[in-house]
Amino acid sequence: DMVVSGWHYHLRCTEDWVVTPLERFGGRSYQDLLNSLDPHDGLMAEIEEMTRRTLVHMARWNYKQPEFLELRYEDLLTDELMWFDRLFRHYGFDGSLLHDSMAIAHKYSRGNLSVVGDGHVRSGEPGEWREHFKPDHVAAFKELTGHLLVDLGYEQNLDW
């Protein structure tokens, strides 16, 4: 899902690293590269870039650090305010700080965001990758990330 979301976002965003021409993209920006590709090849490029920039760090992260509260996106979607309350309390928010923080979380919750005209906010539904990935996308993802989805508990084995 991160790959699909990232691909859509990187087609239009204005982040410096995305719009700056780089030698490794043949003197083009990453965004120019993505926009020059059809959706199939664009997703393939995003799999490679996401693995290099993000997923490698997720694979190396120590998920057993008590000072961090690990949240899964799909869990957050089930009850955003409960999870934000838990998050804020984990980091010591209380009283008016907790109240104000929860008001902000509510204001910007997924249910209160309009997807019309926003190039970043899309469906946000977990599992959307299944609508976009073809067998060669799955094979490339598995090759580049190995057991990452198994290690993170998203899959039971590599037969997904």
Side-chain angles (χ1 to χ4, degrees):
D1 287 331
M2 288 175 56
V3 170
V4 173
S5 179
W7 173 66
H8 281 283
Y9 177 68
H10 295 140
L11 289 170
R12 308 179 248 313
C13 77
T14 59
E15 290 184 31
D16 284 344
W17 79 268
V18 177
V19 298
T20 300
L22 297 172
E23 187 64 34
R24 68 188 185 97
F25 301 127
R28 297 180 291 180
S29 71
Y30 181 58
Q31 188 172 80
D32 289 339
L33 171 70
L34 289 181
N35 280 304
S36 74
L37 301 171
D38 63 30
H40 177 276
D41 292 343
L43 279 171
M44 198 63 82
E46 188 71 21
I47 288 168
E48 292 176 19
E49 188 64 19
M50 183 72 71
T51 300
R52 191 182 77 70
R53 294 184 67 84
T54 305
L55 298 177
V56 66
H57 301 292
M58 290 176 71
R60 292 180 186 150
W61 181 256
N62 176 0
Y63 289 90
K64 297 184 187 322
Q65 301 175 77
E67 65 270 25
F68 293 103
L69 178 63
E70 306 291 346
L71 301 176
R72 292 169 57 118
Y73 174 73
E74 57 278 5
D75 293 337
L76 180 64
L77 291 180
T78 63
D79 189 344
E80 286 180 85
L81 295 181
M82 183 272 298
W83 282 103
F84 274 107
D85 182 76
R86 186 172 171 192
L87 173 82
F88 295 141
R89 290 177 189 277
H90 178 84
Y91 290 109
F93 290 34
D94 60 12
S96 64
L97 183 59
L98 177 62
H99 179 269
D100 293 347
S101 298
M102 288 300 295
I104 293 168
H106 177 70
K107 179 180 178 180
Y108 292 103
S109 73
R110 182 172 174 242
N112 290 331
L113 292 178
S114 170
V115 296
V116 178
D118 187 321
H120 183 66
V121 178
R122 296 177 327 94
S123 83
E125 291 300 318
E128 188 179 14
W129 67 270
R130 289 178 181 89
E131 298 171 26
H132 295 277
F133 273 30
K134 305 297 182 224
D136 56 337
H137 293 119
V138 172
F141 190 91
K142 288 178 183 180
E143 180 180 332
L144 291 170
T145 64
H147 286 83
L148 180 62
L149 294 183
V150 174
D151 294 344
L152 293 177
Y154 286 98
E155 297 295 341
Q156 296 295 316
N157 54 50
L158 290 178
D159 294 335
W160 57 275

